[in-house]
Amino acid sequence: MKNTTKFTSALLCCSILLIFVMLLSLRFGADHIATATVWSALTNPHASGLDQQIIRSIRLPRVLGAALIGAALAGSGALMQGVTRNPLADSGLLGINAGAGLMLTLCLAFFPKLTTVQTTWWAVVGAAISACLIFCISTARNVQLNPSTLVLAGIAISTLFTALSEGLALVLQLKQDLAFWCFGGLGAVSWSQLKYLGPALIIGLVLTLLLSSQLNLAYLTDDNAKSLGKSLPLLRGLALGCVIILSGISVALVGTITFVGLMIPHMSRWIVGSDYRRSLPVTLLLGATLTVSADLIARLVNPPHETPFGIIISLIGVPCFIYLARKESTHA
Amino acid sequence: MNLIETQAVSIGYADKTIIDNLSINIPQGQITTLIGPSGSGKSTLIRALAHLLKPTTGVILLDQENIQAIKTKTLAKKMAVLPQTNQTANDLSVEELVSFGRLPYRRPLAGLTTTDHEKIEWALTQASLQALRHRTLSTLSGGQRQRAWIAMAIAQDTETIILDEPTTYLDLTHQLDVMLLVKRLNEQSHRTIIMALHDLNHAARFSDHLIAIKKGQVKAQGSVKDVMTAENLKAIFNINATLVDYQGTPLILTYDHYQEDQQS
Ligand SMILES: Nc1ncnc2c1ncn2[C@@H]1O[C@H](COP(=O)(O)OP(=O)(O)OP(=O)(O)O)[C@@H](O)[C@H]1O
Ligand SMILES: [Mg+2]
């Protein structure tokens, strides 16, 4: 069983790498904090110096948030690619980004008194609304979900929502407030947000892993699956539900980050093959690792200023994306 | 004995009726082949027999039981279907594809059992795919890929196997391989086979029972000798066929367009 050994070692390497970058992220940042202090902040609940406070209430939620969000974005990318049978799909196709963005703009425009946590909740709601809208449109004409209609409906609704929120932002001069969100960043992630959204993300991730063995069926047609006693439409519904939870929350927390969802699932497939039972766990771990590393780089490039996180991910992502698109087109 | 019976069945897409008021019988333990021109409704009928399409009126009985009342998972243990067009599941390996055939027997989240492994092995052997088991589908030839899909249906280990044009796109030798495989499944493993074929000589040589369809209507059904007659071929395909008897099987030697004035 050569494949299994490869899978086990990939899983092990990715986990070690993830833990390593998470520890690095706790250690390094705008403030210089000694390793011993980091250690005592993590292990000794009574240590309460300023540095320990920084570690516990600023860096720790940020690192944990980055790992969860990275895993969530990568996982929902893999689900989307499986469900739409489109190797270039990601959760943006479900209108998640546009929906969350529009709701955020509306909140900033009309309810500026809302707290950050409340705004985040509304952004999750916006993402869910737009995803459901697109889902309904693409199932309206025939009973079964048609992947290509889904993609088209997704583009249409996303464009509409993006136009609406940009128009609003322009008229009400909100560009400045929205900028952090457009580039994406983990600076604002705090315990008060993670308290509820963190467990929700974990639930979504566990559901995704449970779906992984079924997801292989998405390689077949609806007829193939039905004659094997399985329902592809049901599987698609469940998978899209997971995508809404995972990427809705992530996008609401950190803004639009495209390349994690697009790129990581492909990288995992290159490493462990196309069987989702193997590639999904690796996808989640790699997504977390990339996001934590990119966040670390964002903090270290020009301290104490933060380089926009989305830009760093895109700098790594765009070349991979072009390579991938070319590879896919020569395959076809 | 009849395994499948349709009683006054109408089938269609949206509001277009393709098959109207059709009654056919499919005998158990035999090879039944649907023949008829392109667009006559063979695939439509096959999809209805396999419970992939719901008839608008009438009932389809499998072992005297209304097929609509059987759970899809239960049905998947009785009947394996290979539709005419398959998803090009290019990234999967042959073995992964064939192991899909075991899905109806697997519990959620459980791995493959010893029986599953045996059946997968058996299917790979039947379809002569042992040497190709680790290759991904995208690296196979059309004929090898077709055999992999058939092996998936075999691994499902069902009493009935339904194949929609299993030999399309294959060269002579590989067509023969597939037909012999089908015959072996029928004779040695006692499977009931239902298939649609365009090659009438293959249909005549390898089937026990023929059903000829034209424009959604049954034009003839019965033994090969009853159905493969010059008369019927004229009515179904609009051809003038010269038939010869080869070891008791009627085969088409040559054929021409049928023209009215030839009669006079
Ligand atoms: N999904 C569909 N929606 C609407 N009409 C369809 C659909 N599939 C088939 N048809 C129509 O039903 C009729 C019968 O098609 P069917 O595929 O059953 O023919 P066939 O006998 O299998 O032909 P072939 O030998 O070419 O495979 C055709 O007129 C076709 O246009
Ligand atoms: Mg057909």
Side-chain angles (χ1 to χ4, degrees), chain B residues 13 16 18 37-44 84 165 198:
Chain B
Y13 299 97
K16 189 171 61 169
I18 305 290
S38 268
S40 56
K42 301 183 297 292
S43 299
T44 307
Q84 187 167 0
E165 294 189 20
H198 275 301

Side-chain angles (χ1 to χ4, degrees), chain B residues 145-210:
Chain B
R145 213 172 294 169
Q146 186 72 9
R147 289 216 307 273
W149 284 99
I150 295 175
M152 176 181 106
I154 297 176
Q156 218 173 316
D157 193 24
T158 53
E159 196 196 330
T160 310
I161 299 176
I162 304 184
L163 306 163
D164 196 348
E165 294 189 20
T167 55
T168 321
Y169 309 124
L170 304 188
D171 70 35
L172 285 179
T173 323
H174 289 103
Q175 287 191 23
L176 186 63
D177 285 343
V178 169
M179 296 316 294
L180 290 172
L181 167 60
V182 166
K183 194 81 186 165
R184 249 195 338 267
L185 285 169
N186 169 250
E187 285 180 346
Q188 294 172 9
S189 312
H190 311 290
R191 311 290 150 140
T192 303
I193 311 275
I194 305 167
M195 57 185 172
L197 285 182
H198 275 301
D199 188 319
L200 294 179
N201 281 347
H202 274 165
R205 179 173 158 195
F206 292 101
S207 318
D208 305 301
H209 191 82
L210 289 183

Side-chain angles (χ1 to χ4, degrees), chain B residues 244-264:
Chain B
V244 292
D245 187 291
Y246 178 73
Q247 299 176 348
T249 306
L251 295 178
I252 297 176
L253 184 65
T254 179
Y255 61 94
D256 247 309
H257 280 297
Y258 169 70
Q259 270 147 3
E260 294 289 340
D261 51 271
Q262 283 177 346
Q263 295 303 86
S264 55

Side-chain angles (χ1 to χ4, degrees), chain A residues 51-330:
Chain A
D51 283 349
Q52 276 99 337
Q53 292 286 342
I54 289 180
I55 297 289
R56 265 192 237 134
S57 58
I58 298 179
R59 284 197 194 161
L60 192 58
R62 185 170 181 160
V63 170
L64 287 179
L68 281 177
I69 288 164
L73 287 172
S76 48
L79 291 175
M80 283 300 290
Q81 288 167 14
V83 163
T84 60
R85 295 185 189 131
N86 178 350
L88 301 181
D90 79 337
S91 55
L93 281 181
L94 264 186
I96 302 270
N97 303 335
L102 179 59
M103 200 54 109
L104 200 69
T105 319
L106 288 176
C107 284
L108 287 177
F110 301 111
F111 306 99
K113 294 229 172 61
L114 290 179
T115 63
T116 328
V117 180
Q118 284 167 326
T119 324
T120 311
W121 277 109
W122 279 110
V124 176
V125 173
I129 291 177
S130 110
C132 292
L133 201 63
I134 288 166
F135 198 75
C136 291
I137 293 176
S138 52
T139 46
R141 279 195 45 232
N142 32 17
V143 199
Q144 293 185 344
L145 182 94
N146 179 341
S148 56
T149 331
L150 180 83
V151 172
L152 286 177
I155 292 172
I157 294 289
S158 294
T159 316
L160 174 69
F161 282 7
T162 311
L164 279 179
S165 45
E166 292 201 336
L168 257 179
L170 208 62
V171 173
L172 300 172
Q173 311 212 313
L174 294 170
K175 275 276 175 223
Q176 201 64 43
D177 302 309
L178 280 173
F180 91 91
W181 197 78
C182 292
F183 288 116
L186 282 148
V189 174
S190 64
W191 281 125
S192 52
Q193 287 173 323
L194 277 190
K195 199 163 51 182
Y196 301 106
L197 296 177
L201 280 178
I202 292 174
I203 292 174
L205 290 173
V206 171
L207 287 180
T208 304
L209 284 176
L210 290 179
L211 277 183
S212 64
S213 65
Q214 304 288 311
L215 208 59
N216 280 332
L217 278 173
Y219 286 117
L220 306 179
T221 59
D222 289 24
D223 275 3
N224 285 142
K226 199 172 171 195
S227 58
L228 292 168
K230 301 282 172 181
S231 162
L232 268 191
L234 175 69
L235 174 67
R236 290 199 189 104
L238 290 174
L240 293 185
C242 282
V243 171
I244 294 177
I245 299 178
L246 291 177
S247 60
I249 293 177
S250 309
V251 167
L253 282 173
V254 300
T256 310
I257 297 166
T258 315
F259 288 105
V260 181
L262 197 60
M263 184 174 67
I264 297 290
H266 285 284
M267 287 171 61
S268 341
R269 273 191 285 263
W270 295 332
I271 300 172
V272 289
S274 52
D275 187 336
Y276 277 106
R277 281 170 302 175
R278 299 211 168 101
S279 73
L280 254 183
V282 175
T283 300
L284 300 188
L285 287 173
L286 274 183
T289 311
L290 175 71
T291 312
V292 175
S293 328
D295 180 50
L296 178 64
I297 297 173
R299 282 184 281 149
L300 291 183
V301 169
N302 184 21
H305 302 288
E306 297 210 354
T307 313
F309 166 79
I311 292 179
I312 290 175
I313 294 229
S314 299
L315 274 182
I316 312 172
V318 170
C320 290
F321 179 81
I322 294 173
Y323 169 74
L324 198 75
R326 288 180 60 92
K327 194 170 160 231
E328 286 296 332
S329 64
T330 48

